[in-house]
Structures are given as structure tokens and as C-alpha cells.
Amino acid sequence: MGVTVNEIAKICGVSRTTVLRALNNQSRVSDRTRRQVLEVAKELGYRPNLLARSLNTGRTMTLGIVAINMDNLIFVQTLSAINTEAQRKGYSLNIALHGQSSEAEMQRIRDFTDRRMEGILLSPISKGPEFEQFLLSLGTPVVCIGNYVSDQISTVMIDEELAAREAVRLIASKGYRRIVFVCPPLAYESQQNIYSHIQRKHGLEAELALHPGLSYQIIAADDYVQQLSPVLATLGDVRTAILCSGDIYALNIMRYFKAHKIKTPRDVGIMGFDNISILEYIVPRLTTVSTNVENVAVVAVNELISQIEGDQAVAKKIVLPHKILDMETL
Amino acid sequence: MGVTVNEIAKICGVSRTTVLRALNNQSRVSDRTRRQVLEVAKELGYRPNLLARSLNTGRTMTLGIVAINMDNLIFVQTLSAINTEAQRKGYSLNIALHGQSSEAEMQRIRDFTDRRMEGILLSPISKGPEFEQFLLSLGTPVVCIGNYVSDQISTVMIDEELAAREAVRLIASKGYRRIVFVCPPLAYESQQNIYSHIQRKHGLEAELALHPGLSYQIIAADDYVQQLSPVLATLGDVRTAILCSGDIYALNIMRYFKAHKIKTPRDVGIMGFDNISILEYIVPRLTTVSTNVENVAVVAVNELISQIEGDQAVAKKIVLPHKILDMETL
DNA sequence: TTGTAAGCGTTATCAT
DNA sequence: ATGATAACGCTTACAA
């Protein structure tokens, strides 16, 4: 463990500069010396110490990604794609999960910059001007995914508001007269990344203004399945669609439906958000909103790398397209 | 970006040794100096360069994990738990995915040691004496998860063979007369981690010897759903159970069943392996084999850390318990 | 073709 | 209480 250039130099009876030149395939070394150096290096199992190299060159070729956890399958898919793209571009990827505290989030970010990551991908839960200031003061390029923090920081996202509007239009077009919107408790702001849910809610409510015939109610609670009871008791009265801000909510509700012999879409319509990959195993196929996660990953990584390697970095807000998947549950 | 101790020293008019003492809360600094140093450091936004520190101390407090991809949900859950445990122990975690080539796997491992990760977790696809030699020559502690490579390298696993035997016993006890074992193509050895599948096959066949009344056939192909046709055509003749070496296979087959009005377990029994978390959304509940992934993660991380920090490291084979989950599909 | 020497930003030892 | 100096392992002018 830990053969250095110096040792090789000593053994070969040359200076470490020469060894270095041989090792790095540079010119100005005699063939004889080069061969000998390479031989000895191989013999001893020499490996360059990338810490030392980085300390010198100022480059680590490493990116970091900071996020809440891996419970969200859509994030896992994105993460995987990010890893692939980063590796393709010659960067290694570091992952840090922080549970759900804003302080922990900042600590992880700080740790990454201390380790001299060259750029950071962030699916942030923190927000506000102090956090913005914190990110800007890092001196390291940051690209946010999903959540918007500041105009000064590039963000890759989809137009959640528009997606929600389109969802409402689809529901309205199918003759539903009541929409129940299911999302996480909006008070969780500090504990969870709920920016996208709020965006969806905005879009939904804005669109509803154009559909006076649609009644509306929201369930923003952890026990959403229980809270659905009054809705389910009145299914016969009014044709109802449940719009879930996340496929997992829809899956839980569908499981409940199956247990209680409630048929979809016959008795009630249901729609999700995200199009997580496991949906393909669920029958009936859930109607949902899909984003191309590979696309998000590639765009985010490339934006980050261009900030790292580019001359001048202008923060951009990149909005990627989504698609309504009209399947079987609506 | 890049305020160093030297700059602070210059500004404060003291040596960098003194600055260091103040910064690291050591003794032998006057209160006045200490306060001034801390003030200036804060002012300039000083952050230690962990690369430099590591180069010096020889410690990076970083672990690496190398695996195929994130398609396997059971791995994602393990990964998440590993991250948590590593962080709890003060280590940061690096992830590298390699697709499915043995060379890529070795490259990732090499890259990690070059970066001076202190230990490596590995869910290996490579095997054989050369690979063993490769791992041993790294000079860095390695712990394998799932797949066994060598007695010289600690491995954390479950007793797949025993689990398969127990699965067969359960199936036999329920009166089935035919078992169809579904697993990935066994020729994929080099492309995919199939050690566990082979173990299961061994266990299954060993146990079958004790149940002469059970007929047996294996489907080890990517188009396993199609290949099931002859089996499905003869369901009326013999009570059949399909044992899948992985829940995903079972899910795909169940989806096919639903589309073709085949009822489980009335018409045919089906059982999986792994107990991936999405099973909770699937109706009927799949009978399967469960491992405690948190347990695997904690044990693997701690074994690795004890090899890093411990005096003498003896390679261990750690077998963790599993559980048969007798649910609704058998 | 080869070597010397300074530097990257820390830590650690030994003086003063 | 403070400082000078060497060291970690590499890179990179600049000499010879």
C-alpha cells in the first residue's frame, strides 16, 4: 500500500521527474529508462495518489449530489441516470442523503465543498435568501433539480403548474364533476421537499377557475386514505376523480380500493404524478404524468459541467417537457 | 474560493501554526490571538481543504460502494441503509455503478483506491482467483455483499440455499405437485450477478431429492413469460407452483396472469424472492422470502469499518437470517 | 534526455 | 504562547 514515485525513482536511479514523464507517457525520456520505469512501477503495483494530484492541479473530477433520501423512486431513477451521465463525462459521483433537515442539508453541501467536489447537484429542501446566499458563497457551481431556489442558480425542472392544469383538463374532459387533490401536508415545508406539490396545487386551482362545474377539495394529510372516507361515501352522488400529487399516494389508495371492492374507473377515477417505474406492474394501469428522467439527468449534469468548465456561467432556468399518460384509471 | 491558513496568518501577523491552533481549538494560543484568528477566518469564509488534510493524515473518512446498477430495488434499499450507517459512523459514501462488465467493475474499484477511499463495499459480478488476487492486492479493506468471492475477503450474505429449501418445503406442504423455477439465464454469469440465483437453484434441487412426488422444471430465460405457455396449458393436470428467483419475475408473471384471467393461488401458485418494498402495493400479496436489508447494511458497514480501524482484520463469512413470508399467492 | 526546486494546503515535531 | 521546518505525493516550470 502506498508505492510512490520517489521509491520508483530511487530504485531506477533516476529523478522522480523522469519517472513521472515515463509514467504519464510524456516525451523527453529515453526508451530504455521509460521501459525500466514502467516495469518497476508495474512490479511494485504503483498507483498514483489522486489526492495529491488533485491538491496540485486543483481538479478532482468529482461531482456531488445532495438529496433527502432514496424513498422516492423517481429520484432513484434520476440518480442512476445522473451517475451514468457523470461517468460518461469523466466525472465521479458522490452521494449524500440528509434525512430531512435543512441544517443537515447544508452540512452535506459544506462537506462536499470541503472535499473539493467541483460541482454540486441539489434537490433542495431549504430555501429563502439566506440559503441562496449560502449556496452562492460556496464558490462552487450548483445546479438545483426540481426545486427552485434562486435566479442566480441554475435549475432544472418541469412545469408542474402546467402539468397540473393539463391533468385537470383531462379530468374535466372525461365528465368528472368533483376533484379531490391528495398531497403531503403542506406544513411539511421544512421537513420535505414540497415545492413541486405546491406548484401542482397552484396549477390545479388556477385551472379549476375555468371549470365552474367541477367541485374541489383537498386532502393534505398523512392519513389521506382514512380522510377519503367521506368522499367514498358519496361516490354515488357525484362522479369523482382523485388527483394524487405522487404515484405512491395513488397506489396506496388503489390498494385500499381493491380491498374494498371499489372499481376504477367505474366507481371513481384516480390519477397520479411522476410515472414511477413500478407502475408497469400495477393493474389497472395508472393514469399519470410522466417526465423523462434520463433527460432531466443529462441536462442537469451537462449544465453543471458547463458551469465548471465553461468560461462564464450564466444561471439558467431549464424547463423540461412532461407528458400526460392517459391510461386506465380515469 | 480557496482561502488558506497562510492568508489568515499573514493578515493576523502570526505564523500558520498559531492560526491552526486557534482554528482547531487547541491550547497554547492566547485568547486575544485566537479570537482575532477566528474572526478573520469567519470573515474570509475559511474552509479547510480536506484533500490536503487527507494527504497528510492518510485518512479520508470515505467509503466506496461498487455495484451493477440501481435497477434492483432491493439493492437500492440496501444502499440507502448503507449510506445512513456510514454517515452515522462519520464516513462519507461514494457510489460507482458499472453497468455489467467485469472490466468496468475493476476500473471502478481501482478508481476508488486511487482516490484513497478507506474501504470498499462490493456487490461483485466478477469472480475467480485472478479477481480474488486483484482485490487482495488493493491493500484496501473490501467487504462483499451477496456474492462470495474468496475466504480471504469478508462476505455478508444470506443462506440462499437454505432459503430455497425452505421455499420448496412450503410449496410441498401446500400440496403442489409441480415446481417451475424461474431465474435469469445462467449463462449470464459474466454479465450479471447470478451467484445468488445459482445458490437458490442448488438448494431447490437438493431439497427436491427429498420430495419425489414433486416434478420440477426450470425456466432460465429472458422471455420466461412466453416460455411459461406449456406450463399454463397444463395447469388443470397438475397442481403447479412457480418459484421465482426474484420478486420482479413474479410481478411480471402476475401481471400476465391478471391479463389472462388466471387466478392465484386458485389456478396456480407463485412465490418470489427478496421481498422488495413495492410488494406492499401488489394485490394479492406475494408469498416471498425476506431479508432484513437494514441489517445487511449495518453489518456490512461495521465489518468494513472494523477492518479499517481494527488492529488485525480476519476475513469473515457472515450469514444473516432470512424469513419466509407466507402471504396470499401460494 | 535528465534533474532541481518550488508549490498545492494541510499536519506534526521540535525549538524558542 | 508562538514559530520554523519537514512531510504527505504529486505537478510543473526552469535548468543543466
Side-chain angles (χ1 to χ4, degrees):
Chain A
M1 228 281 58
V3 183
T4 74
V5 199
N6 289 308
E7 299 180 42
I8 299 181
K10 201 166 291 172
I11 292 178
C12 295
V14 295
S15 77
R16 69 162 166 274
T17 313
T18 307
V19 171
L20 186 273
R21 282 199 266 260
L23 252 25
N24 292 9
N25 253 327
Q26 296 175 348
S27 58
R28 305 194 297 170
V29 196
S30 75
D31 266 16
R32 209 165 104 13
T33 317
R34 161 170 286 138
R35 251 188 310 246
Q36 190 199 3
V37 168
L38 291 179
E39 175 127 350
V40 173
K42 185 161 201 175
E43 182 77 25
L44 300 184
Y46 169 78
R47 292 261 92 208
N49 184 326
L50 263 34
L51 293 177
R53 178 177 292 170
S54 292
L55 182 57
N56 233 278
T57 60
R59 303 219 56 180
T60 58
M61 299 308 286
T62 310
L63 308 180
I65 179 162
V66 177
I68 289 196
N69 57 38
M70 294 194 165
D71 296 351
N72 188 342
L73 290 181
I74 202 73
F75 171 69
V76 173
Q77 294 172 236
T78 311
L79 179 58
S80 172
I82 285 173
N83 186 291
T84 303
E85 180 64 10
Q87 220 137 70
R88 217 175 62 73
K89 295 276 175 151
Y91 286 81
S92 162
L93 183 70
N94 233 282
I95 301 181
L97 307 176
H98 61 252
Q100 41 188 215
S101 108
S102 182
E103 287 142 61
E105 176 171 63
M106 290 170 71
Q107 270 178 24
R108 301 282 162 272
I109 295 171
R110 191 70 97 181
D111 183 61
F112 274 175
T113 55
D114 287 355
R115 289 193 145 84
R116 295 311 187 255
M117 310 266 142
E118 299 196 47
I120 291 178
L121 292 163
L122 179 63
S123 190
I125 62 165
S126 307
K127 55 177 193 178
E130 335 75 52
F131 186 63
E132 173 186 8
Q133 207 39 55
F134 168 76
L135 292 181
L136 291 174
S137 75
L138 293 175
T140 300
V142 174
V143 168
C144 288
I145 298 180
N147 270 18
Y148 168 86
V149 170
S150 150
D151 277 336
Q152 309 275 69
I153 297 168
S154 281
T155 308
V156 178
M157 57 199 329
I158 72 161
D159 191 337
E160 304 280 6
E161 219 169 306
L162 177 59
R165 299 185 77 126
E166 290 173 2
V168 172
R169 273 178 231 151
L170 178 67
I171 290 169
S173 77
K174 299 216 173 192
Y176 289 92
R177 310 285 303 191
R178 173 169 61 168
I179 285 191
V180 180
F181 182 62
V182 174
C183 65
L186 299 178
Y188 277 5
E189 281 208 58
S190 58
Q191 290 172 56
Q192 199 175 314
N193 183 337
I194 61 158
Y195 180 85
S196 58
H197 302 290
I198 290 180
Q199 293 299 301
R200 291 167 187 171
K201 177 166 175 282
H202 284 167
L204 173 134
E205 290 172 353
E207 183 67 24
L208 275 171
L210 310 179
H211 302 264
L214 261 175
S215 80
Y216 161 59
Q217 89 191 61
I218 181 170
I219 297 181
D222 285 328
D223 61 338
Y224 53 93
V225 177
Q226 285 90 57
Q227 295 211 17
L228 268 177
S229 298
V231 173
L232 300 179
T234 53
L235 286 185
D237 306 341
V238 47
R239 185 107 185 91
T240 304
I242 302 172
L243 178 56
C244 299
S245 189
D247 294 325
I248 289 288
Y249 301 114
L251 291 184
N252 269 317
I253 292 169
M254 285 168 78
R255 178 172 51 170
Y256 179 87
F257 284 177
K258 278 176 195 153
H260 293 75
K261 308 285 180 211
I262 298 173
K263 284 274 184 231
T264 303
R266 196 194 61 190
D267 305 327
V268 55
I270 187 163
M271 178 170 181
F273 252 96
D274 290 344
N275 190 35
I276 56 182
S277 60
I278 58 164
L279 289 189
E280 61 178 300
Y281 300 109
I282 306 292
V283 179
R285 291 300 304 260
L286 181 66
T287 292
T288 190
V289 180
S290 142
T291 10
N292 183 334
V293 291
E294 277 79 21
N295 199 9
V296 171
V298 168
V299 168
V301 169
N302 286 328
E303 167 63 15
L304 186 57
I305 291 180
S306 89
Q307 286 199 28
I308 294 171
E309 300 177 350
D311 352 276
Q312 90 282 51
V314 187
K316 306 188 192 72
K317 197 165 178 174
I318 303 173
V319 178
L320 296 178
H322 59 269
K323 224 164 45 187
I324 302 284
L325 298 186
D326 187 7
M327 306 300 275
E328 304 172 351
T329 58
L330 207 63
Chain B
M1 232 268 71
V3 183
T4 73
V5 198
N6 289 308
E7 299 180 43
I8 299 180
K10 199 167 290 170
I11 292 177
C12 295
V14 294
S15 77
R16 67 161 166 275
T17 312
T18 306
V19 171
L20 187 274
R21 282 200 266 260
L23 252 24
N24 293 9
N25 254 326
Q26 296 173 349
S27 58
R28 304 195 297 166
V29 196
S30 74
D31 267 17
R32 211 164 104 14
T33 317
R34 161 169 285 137
R35 249 188 310 247
Q36 190 199 2
V37 168
L38 292 179
E39 175 125 351
V40 173
K42 184 160 200 175
E43 182 76 27
L44 300 184
Y46 168 79
R47 292 261 92 206
N49 184 327
L50 262 34
L51 292 177
R53 176 177 295 171
S54 292
L55 182 57
N56 226 274
T57 59
R59 303 220 54 181
T60 58
M61 298 308 286
T62 311
L63 308 181
I65 179 164
V66 176
I68 288 197
N69 56 39
M70 293 193 166
D71 296 350
N72 188 342
L73 290 181
I74 202 74
F75 171 70
V76 172
Q77 294 172 236
T78 311
L79 179 58
S80 172
I82 285 173
N83 186 291
T84 303
E85 180 65 9
Q87 220 139 71
R88 217 175 62 74
K89 295 274 173 152
Y91 286 80
S92 163
L93 182 71
N94 234 281
I95 302 181
L97 307 176
H98 60 254
Q100 40 188 214
S101 109
S102 182
E103 288 143 61
E105 177 172 62
M106 290 170 70
Q107 271 178 24
R108 299 282 162 272
I109 295 172
R110 192 70 98 181
D111 184 60
F112 274 176
T113 55
D114 287 356
R115 289 193 145 87
R116 296 309 187 258
M117 311 267 140
E118 298 196 48
I120 292 179
L121 292 162
L122 179 62
S123 190
I125 61 164
S126 309
K127 55 176 191 178
E130 335 74 53
F131 186 62
E132 173 187 8
Q133 207 39 55
F134 168 76
L135 292 181
L136 291 174
S137 75
L138 293 175
T140 301
V142 173
V143 168
C144 288
I145 298 179
N147 270 19
Y148 168 85
V149 170
S150 151
D151 277 336
Q152 310 275 69
I153 296 167
S154 282
T155 310
V156 178
M157 57 200 326
I158 72 159
D159 190 338
E160 305 280 6
E161 222 170 303
L162 177 60
R165 298 185 78 125
E166 291 173 2
V168 172
R169 273 178 230 151
L170 178 67
I171 289 169
S173 77
K174 299 215 173 191
Y176 288 92
R177 311 283 305 192
R178 174 168 62 168
I179 285 192
V180 179
F181 182 61
V182 174
C183 66
L186 298 178
Y188 277 5
E189 283 206 53
S190 58
Q191 291 172 52
Q192 200 175 312
N193 182 337
I194 62 158
Y195 180 86
S196 58
H197 301 292
I198 290 180
Q199 294 299 303
R200 290 165 188 172
K201 177 165 174 283
H202 284 167
L204 172 133
E205 291 172 353
E207 183 66 24
L208 276 172
L210 309 179
H211 302 264
L214 261 175
S215 80
Y216 161 58
Q217 92 191 58
I218 180 170
I219 296 181
D222 285 328
D223 61 337
Y224 52 93
V225 177
Q226 283 91 59
Q227 295 211 16
L228 268 177
S229 298
V231 172
L232 300 180
T234 54
L235 285 185
D237 306 339
V238 47
R239 186 106 185 91
T240 304
I242 302 172
L243 178 55
C244 299
S245 189
D247 294 325
I248 289 289
Y249 301 113
L251 292 184
N252 269 317
I253 293 169
M254 284 168 79
R255 178 172 49 169
Y256 179 87
F257 284 177
K258 278 177 194 151
H260 293 73
K261 307 286 181 212
I262 298 172
K263 283 274 184 232
T264 303
R266 196 195 60 192
D267 305 326
V268 56
I270 188 163
M271 177 169 181
F273 252 96
D274 290 345
N275 191 34
I276 57 182
S277 61
I278 59 165
L279 289 189
E280 62 178 299
Y281 300 109
I282 306 293
V283 179
R285 291 301 303 260
L286 181 66
T287 292
T288 191
V289 179
S290 140
T291 8
N292 183 335
V293 293
E294 276 79 21
N295 199 9
V296 171
V298 169
V299 168
V301 169
N302 286 327
E303 168 63 15
L304 186 58
I305 292 181
S306 89
Q307 286 199 30
I308 294 170
E309 299 177 350
D311 351 275
Q312 90 281 52
V314 187
K316 306 189 193 72
K317 199 164 176 173
I318 303 173
V319 178
L320 297 178
H322 59 269
K323 227 166 42 189
I324 302 284
L325 299 185
D326 186 8
M327 305 301 274
E328 304 171 350
T329 59
L330 208 61

